[in-house]
């Protein structure tokens, strides 16, 4: 992937100095393409598996661009929706809650609950000021509310196919006024590891290590996991791969709970380091308390034959088969999380079998090759519908 990403970044700089190739499909995004985050990693894999009719360039702005020359635009950043002219078929991948939630989290930190409101100025203002949903700074709050309203107004008018990365996200779009006919669910796919992987061994299981991978921020549930650790077998060790603004506070919490000898903070890890950590654990913990739109962590664990203990929130249950590929637990439930970790820590055969089941599910439904094939079908349908409506308009006799 690194070489193709470097080529991609060079092509980005050349895009506006050269004519684009006509009748190709182009990816449009303000996200970086590569590693380091969910969308970034996804886009890197998407370009690595692109079919011949998809350009190797990424478009970061559509302002002043003749959009009629594109066969189709596949947009990934919400602000680029505002630059559409409607001159070519368009699909938009909804990677998060930013289109219909001003804070982008759908999580009320003050109440420690998932937000069930649809967007409204009154409800979302209350959510920010009282329920501590995202920023409480007045100017930023007003800006976020206005931007969300602008997005929704445009989305309801534009002829765009919305690709949700989970059925949970698709239902949120529909609840916020997007026509169900304009939305489709396509679960994410991932690239398979380049290094050899194997089912969980007895030796690795006996090392009693669990793994958390993600940003160290409040809605990722690491505080819940750390508080859970004191209720698990003392032999169990936790590896934490990631960085974030919550790390100092959570390190202090771990020290207060006398867990420092059981937790290793690895910070940001490259692909090689992450792969090693996956190989060293008997289970991956995915303890998000906000409604994850989808989450690639589950699929990354499956790729290494590891079971997942995850929160039953957002789109996570659409990837995690409870009792088959891992264990689902209610968000913020310390006892049930502890029970799940202790259960797998004591049962090697169960842990190994769940990991094998997860890998089989990944290979059947969630590889990037499968994902790209699903996208190609949507591209073809969107293009055919656009061409049909355009021909229909042109075939209408002009009045004299």
């Amino acid at each position: 992937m690194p070489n193709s990403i470097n080529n991609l970044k060079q092509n980005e700089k050349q895009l506006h100095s050269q004519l684009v190739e006509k009748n190709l499909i182009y990816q449009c995004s303000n996200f970086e393409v590569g590693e380091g985050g969910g969308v970034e990693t996804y886009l890197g894999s998407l370009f690595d598996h692109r079919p011949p009719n998809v350009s190797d360039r990424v478009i970061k702005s559509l302002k002043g661009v003749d959009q009629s020359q594109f066969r189709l635009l596949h947009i990934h950043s919400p602000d680029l929706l505002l630059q559409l002219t409607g001159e070519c078929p368009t699909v938009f991948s909804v990677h998060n809650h930013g289109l219909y939630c001003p804070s982008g989290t759908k999580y009320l930190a003050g109440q420690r609950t998932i937000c069930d409101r649809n967007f409204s100025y009154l409800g979302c203002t209350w959510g920010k000021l009282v329920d501590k949903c995202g920023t409480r700074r007045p100017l930023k709050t007003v800006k976020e509310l206005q931007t969300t309203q602008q997005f929704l107004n445009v989305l309801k008018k534009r002829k765009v196919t919305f690709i949700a990365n989970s059925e949970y996200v698709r239902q949120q779009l529909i609840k916020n006024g997007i026509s169900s006919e304009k939305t489709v669910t396509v679960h994410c796919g991932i690239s398979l590891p380049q290094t050899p992987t194997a089912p969980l061994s007895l030796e690795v299981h006996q090392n009693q290590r669990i793994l958390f991978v993600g940003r160290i921020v409040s809605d990722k549930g690491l505080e819940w996991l750390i508080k859970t650790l004191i209720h698990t077998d003392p032999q169990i060790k936790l590896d934490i791969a990631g960085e974030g603004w919550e790390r100092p506070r959570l390190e202090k919490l771990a020290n207060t709970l006398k867990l420092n000898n059981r937790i290793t903070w690895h910070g940001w890890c490259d692909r090689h380091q992450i792969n090693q950590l996956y190989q060293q654990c008997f289970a991956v913990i995915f303890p998000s308390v906000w409604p994850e739109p989808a989450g690639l962590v589950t699929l990354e664990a499956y790729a290494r034959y590891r079971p997942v203990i995850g929160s039953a929130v957002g789109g996570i249950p659409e990837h995690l088969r409870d009792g088959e590929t891992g264990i689902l637990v209610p968000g913020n439930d310390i006892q049930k999380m502890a029970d799940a970790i202790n259960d797998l820590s004591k049962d090697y055969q169960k842990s190994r079998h769940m990991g094998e089941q997860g890998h089989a599910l990944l290979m059947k439904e969630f590889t990037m090759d499968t994902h790209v094939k699903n996208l190609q079908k949507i591209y073809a349908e969107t293009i055919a519908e656009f061409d049909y409506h355009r021909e229909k308009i042109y075939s209408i006799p002009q009045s004299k």
Side-chain angles (χ1 to χ4, degrees), residues 114-181:
I114 291 172
C115 177
D116 60 0
R117 301 185 182 104
N118 295 333
F119 171 76
S120 71
Y121 273 100
L122 180 60
C124 292
T125 299
W126 179 273
K128 283 182 169 295
L129 299 180
V130 179
D131 298 325
K132 299 180 180 180
C133 177
T135 184
R136 267 83 71 196
R137 287 184 290 175
L139 291 179
K140 190 171 182 181
T141 292
V142 171
K143 179 64 176 176
E144 289 181 348
L145 292 169
Q146 291 175 337
T147 300
T148 302
Q149 184 66 71
Q150 188 179 17
F151 282 151
L152 290 174
N153 289 341
V154 170
L155 302 188
K156 293 170 186 177
K157 297 175 183 177
R158 289 291 183 200
K159 193 168 185 58
V160 176
T161 298
F162 295 92
I163 303 175
N165 58 2
S166 67
E167 184 60 22
Y168 177 86
V169 168
R170 179 174 178 268
Q171 291 304 319
Q172 292 299 317
L173 288 168
I174 294 170
K175 288 178 181 177
N176 282 279
I178 308 303
S179 169
S180 60
E181 287 76 18

Side-chain angles (χ1 to χ4, degrees), residues 88-129:
C88 69
T90 305
V91 300
F92 176 76
S93 279
V94 187
H95 296 287
N96 52 48
H97 303 304
L99 284 179
Y100 44 78
C101 172
S103 70
T105 64
K106 293 291 292 182
Y107 185 69
L108 307 177
Q111 307 294 328
R112 302 186 72 178
T113 59
I114 291 172
C115 177
D116 60 0
R117 301 185 182 104
N118 295 333
F119 171 76
S120 71
Y121 273 100
L122 180 60
C124 292
T125 299
W126 179 273
K128 283 182 169 295
L129 299 180

Side-chain angles (χ1 to χ4, degrees), residues 212-232:
F212 169 92
V213 179
R215 292 178 296 113
I216 303 178
V217 294
S218 58
D219 50 24
K220 287 294 184 179
L222 186 54
E223 178 178 351
W224 167 29
L225 177 55
I226 290 173
K227 290 179 177 178
T228 295
L229 197 60
I230 62 175
H231 300 283
T232 63

